[in-house]
Structure formats: C-alpha cells, structure tokens
Amino acid sequence: MTPVSQLRVAMLSAHSCPVGKLGTKDTGGMSVYIREIASELGKQGHLVDIYTRVHDPKDRQIYELGQNARLIHLRAGEDEQIHKLAVYAHLPDFVSNLESFRTRNSLRYDLIFSHYWLSALAGTYLRQRWHVPHITMFHTLGAVKNSIRERIHPAPGDREPELRIRTERNLVRTCHRVIAPTEKEKRALIRHYGASSQKISVVPCGVNLDHFNIIGKAQARHYLGFDSDRIILFVGRIDPLKGIDNLIKALPFLRHIPKLRLVIIGGGEHSQREIEKLRKLARDLEVQNSVDFLGLIKHEQLPYFYNAADACVVPSYYESFGLVALESLACGTPVVATDVGNHESIIHQGDTGYVIQDNVPSRLADKVALLLSQPATATRSAQSIRATVRKFSWSNIAKAIAKDCQLVLTNYPVSVP
Ligand code: UDP
C-alpha cells in the first residue's frame, strides 16, 4: 500500500472516554493521550474519528474535538457505568455498532489505532473486515502489573485476569505495530509477551506546552489561596499502584520542615475507599494535619497547582509513561519520582529533580528535603526546567506517530496471523 498524505484514522478507546473526568478510577493519562494525539493529527491535516462507549446518558453521539478530529459515542451494553472488565462482554456490540455507524456515514479508514487491550481486541475484528493495518498501544501491561504485585507486600491492588494477559500476548503477534512509550515498556513487551523487537516503535507521550506553562509561584498561590511555606504535590488517579502510601509515610521524615503541606489531587466517587485508607494512614502516623485531599481537579486548573508547588512527587510502583512528571516540569516545578515509566529520561538528576531507585519512604523524603533546601539555581530556574521538556510537544509526538502510520501503510499487507 502506498503512503497517503492525509491519513484517515479510526481510533478505538472502548472502555475509557477521552473527554471523561480525569483523575477518576479508569480515566487518566490514556484519555489525555488520545485526546491530544487526535487533536494534533487533525491540526496536521489528518482525519481522526475516536470511537468510545456511551459512558453517560447525556453523551452526545458526535463531539467535535477540533479541526478534523471527532469523538463518536456508541452504545455497548445497557448500563453506561460498568467496570472496565465488563466491557469485554460488550465488545461484539461495540464492533457491530461501530460498523453500522461507519457504513451509514460511508466512512473509510486507512488504519486502526487502538488503545488498551480491550480496544485492541475490537481492532482485530475490524481490521479483518476493513483490510487495513492495525496499530495498538497498551498504555499499561497486565503482566507487568502482576509481576509488581507479586513482589510487593501487601500487593498494591488486585491481580490482572489471565484473560487480559493471554489477550495481550496474542495481540503483540496479530497487530501490525505496537507503540511503546518507553524503552522499558518495549523490553517488557519482549520479556513478558515474546514480542518481536522489530514490531515495536518507541514514541514517548507528550505535554500540552500552551496549557502547562509558567505562571509564577506567588501568583499561583495567591490564586489558590495557599499560604503554606512549603508545598509538595501529588497528582493522579488514586490507585494503589501510584504508591501514595509511601509518600504519606515519607512525611514523618520531613517533620523538621516548617509549614510543609502535602497536597493530593485525584479521586472521584469510586476512589473513596482508597482515600479513606490513606487518610487513616495519615492519622496513624500523626501527619493528618499536613495532608490535604483535594479530590478531582480539572485539567484546566492543574497548572496553578503545579506552579504553586515546590516539588511534585510521583511515587508510583508502575507507570507506563507518567504524564504528571512531564506536566510539572513544563510548569517549571521540579519532580521527585520513582524509576518507572519515562522518569529517568525526562528528569535531569539533581537539576530538574531526582529519580529514586527504591520506592522507600525515607529515600523519597531525603530527595524532597534536598530539593526544598536548595535555592533555585541557573539550571533549576522555572524557565530552564521547562526548557528540558520542550521537545515533548504533542505536535512533535503526533508527527512521530504519523510517520509510524505511514511506515505501516507502506509495508501493508504483511502477513500477520
Ligand atoms: N489528572 C487531572 N485531574 C486530576 C488527576 C489527574 O487532570 O484530578 C490528569 C493529570 O494531569 C494527567 C493524567 O490525569 O494528565 C494522569 O496521567 P498519568 O500518565 O500521570 O497517569 P495514568 O492515569 O496514566 O496512570
């Protein structure tokens, strides 16, 4: 097949809505990724339709995301709000409703770009019908999550089902290309699923540099009404794999820092049990007066929080990439993070923050204390921190993805099972 100047892409995101509430249980980095990549590919002249389930009865069927990019809601199952694993049973519905929508509107696509194993499974049915290549991105790998849960006691969260592991293993064989956001994830795909190295492209995730920008600490604090001397920030879904417990356990080691506050952002109604556990931990450690759980904060408001913070901490046991660190750095705020996802390559050790090898509370505390004790230097001014992540603009990332799509089209058809 010859490459085309204008790609027509069907993106699949069955279980999670790209315009859903960020920071809730199943809506995080992947939703940001899909929304931003689709908008950027659209701006670059390609045509993108994202297909997702109706998640709310009020969802409009078609939602314009920007130039050449649309989000299309399809019914799949009676209930809108279901556990993501329950989406599996409704995939045949999702596929057949998508096919009806496509034929009714005389749409044709050059390729499928699916996100997460459930959508990738839908993609394998569709690509056989449409005779087009299928590119996928898993966003997290079930086998990696399970191996972490085997290593850590008590295990952070429940095991991923065998069905997911089997499906992901199968998908790395049947998809035409797999996008991994880091070299680490590429190695994991090879190690856990026997993926062929030639089939994997490493393309990082990006950050919206217009939105995540420098506001200035004083101005951001004034806007938010924060009056603490020292603020450390956590942003993300409230999931045991995020390691928030270790961050709370780090607070007793930081008692010597006056007026220190830990601000925790993320949550939603399905996270209340997890938040209650964290509140209890804070009470047990007698640090509850230094921790604020602010719940969900809209993406649009987050730059104020990143700017107001002295440091952002990402203590995760696992990230496929880790958008939060990138967003913080784009706002000029240094980051202390565990060595997961892309942290090692985006954080310049000692300059824009610290990456710690062991997810241990005292180590997190040491690095936070170090950052907070050092005055801003030439290499750690907000502007110089931001400069280190400029190359991660979504425009650059979308160009790399489009290049990969063209490559796959050029080599199609290839014999995959
Ligand atoms: N986020 C948000 N509001 C919140 C919590 C999180 O907008 O209350 C966003 C955050 O800015 C980031 C995304 O959710 O863009 C989380 O992405 P990340 O890659 O850090 O984690 P994931 O959700 O993929 O595990």
Side-chain angles (χ1 to χ4, degrees):
M1 215 179 251
T2 44
V4 289
S5 56
Q6 183 179 58
L7 293 162
R8 292 166 302 176
V9 184
M11 276 205 198
L12 309 181
S13 175
H15 86 283
S16 173
C17 181
V19 295
K21 276 192 195 149
L22 292 174
T24 51
K25 200 163 175 290
D26 293 327
T27 311
M30 185 179 95
S31 298
V32 175
Y33 182 92
I34 295 172
R35 209 172 61 194
E36 294 281 1
I37 276 289
S39 308
E40 221 19 87
L41 286 172
K43 276 188 216 157
Q44 291 172 15
H46 306 294
L47 300 176
V48 184
D49 282 339
I50 309 169
Y51 290 96
T52 191
R53 279 180 69 247
V54 173
H55 290 85
D56 186 316
K58 295 196 284 294
D59 281 338
R60 274 178 279 147
Q61 183 173 40
I62 301 180
Y63 188 103
E64 298 291 337
L65 276 183
Q67 205 182 331
N68 302 327
R70 305 187 296 178
L71 174 66
I72 295 151
H73 287 106
L74 302 169
R75 282 221 81 88
E78 284 298 301
D79 291 337
E80 289 87 12
Q81 296 285 336
I82 53 175
H83 188 275
K84 65 180 167 191
L85 281 181
V87 172
Y88 179 79
H90 299 298
L91 286 178
D93 251 11
F94 181 76
V95 168
S96 86
N97 289 341
L98 197 162
E99 199 42 358
S100 314
F101 180 89
R102 185 186 73 83
T103 44
R104 222 173 32 248
N105 293 283
S106 315
L107 296 167
R108 286 173 68 84
Y109 297 106
D110 299 308
L111 56 92
I112 296 167
F113 187 13
S114 63
H115 299 270
Y116 199 67
W117 67 278
L118 289 163
S119 300
L121 199 51
T124 49
Y125 297 120
L126 290 166
R127 68 105 172 161
Q128 277 159 2
R129 277 194 209 179
W130 301 351
H131 303 289
V132 297
H134 177 199
I135 301 179
T136 198
M137 185 160 175
F138 289 112
H139 294 272
T140 55
L141 300 177
V144 175
K145 284 187 164 183
N146 280 351
S147 73
I148 292 165
R149 285 169 180 147
E150 274 156 25
R151 263 191 293 123
I152 296 162
H153 298 287
D158 300 331
R159 272 186 77 76
E160 298 302 309
E162 253 328 289
L163 172 69
R164 173 176 181 181
I165 311 297
R166 235 185 8 251
T167 309
E168 286 181 342
R169 186 172 295 122
N170 210 20
L171 285 163
V172 297
R173 266 188 327 111
T174 57
C175 289
H176 295 86
R177 194 130 207 100
V178 180
I179 308 286
T182 63
E183 288 294 337
K184 257 196 203 89
E185 200 85 337
K186 176 174 176 174
R187 288 195 296 273
L189 281 161
I190 296 169
R191 187 171 66 246
H192 292 284
Y193 296 144
S196 142
S197 146
Q198 284 84 38
K199 211 186 238 192
I200 308 170
S201 299
V202 177
V203 182
C205 299
V207 62
N208 187 325
L209 291 166
D210 296 330
H211 178 54
F212 291 102
N213 209 336
I214 297 171
I215 297 169
K217 203 176 292 309
Q219 200 182 328
R221 285 186 179 196
H222 177 72
Y223 175 83
L224 296 171
F226 282 176
D227 60 3
S228 226
D229 281 354
R230 297 293 193 187
I231 295 168
I232 52 179
L233 178 69
F234 170 88
V235 177
R237 292 174 302 103
I238 308 297
D239 182 301
L241 276 175
K242 293 282 177 185
I244 309 168
D245 52 343
N246 277 343
L247 181 52
I248 292 176
K249 287 180 193 163
L251 288 180
F253 297 98
L254 295 166
R255 281 196 216 275
H256 60 285
I257 302 177
K259 287 181 81 181
L260 177 77
R261 301 208 67 75
L262 166 61
V263 172
I264 297 181
I265 288 177
E269 53 186 306
H270 298 292
S271 312
Q272 286 316 313
R273 243 187 62 209
E274 201 52 42
I275 291 182
E276 208 26 69
K277 268 200 233 160
L278 295 171
R279 281 190 195 279
K280 180 173 180 319
L281 175 66
R283 283 195 300 275
D284 292 347
L285 296 171
E286 297 179 2
V287 293
Q288 73 274 23
N289 294 331
S290 310
V291 188
D292 295 316
F293 290 90
L294 299 193
L296 291 183
I297 297 287
K298 289 209 166 107
H299 215 51
E300 298 72 50
Q301 294 290 312
L302 280 180
Y304 288 99
F305 290 87
Y306 287 123
N307 272 274
D310 292 288
C312 176
V313 184
V314 191
S316 309
Y317 292 106
Y318 177 43
E319 292 288 344
S320 171
F321 183 82
L323 288 182
V324 162
L326 208 46
E327 291 167 2
S328 179
L329 296 171
C331 291
T333 299
V335 178
V336 175
T338 43
D339 184 15
V340 294
N342 210 28
H343 291 156
E344 205 177 40
S345 47
I346 62 172
I347 298 167
H348 299 185
Q349 195 76 347
D351 283 336
T352 68
Y354 292 98
V355 177
I356 60 163
Q357 296 306 317
D358 311 305
N359 195 351
V360 175
S362 60
R363 298 264 163 79
L364 277 174
D366 283 352
K367 296 303 182 204
V368 169
L370 196 58
L371 263 189
L372 266 48
S373 68
Q374 294 165 340
T377 57
T379 46
R380 203 185 293 136
S381 67
Q383 289 295 350
S384 55
I385 291 177
R386 177 175 163 83
T388 61
V389 296
R390 277 191 190 280
K391 61 179 179 227
F392 293 98
S393 69
W394 282 114
S395 144
N396 283 349
I397 308 305
K399 279 183 197 144
I401 291 290
K403 206 164 141 199
D404 252 327
C405 292
Q406 300 287 12
L407 193 76
V408 170
L409 276 175
T410 311
N411 296 325
Y412 184 81
V414 287
S415 54
V416 293

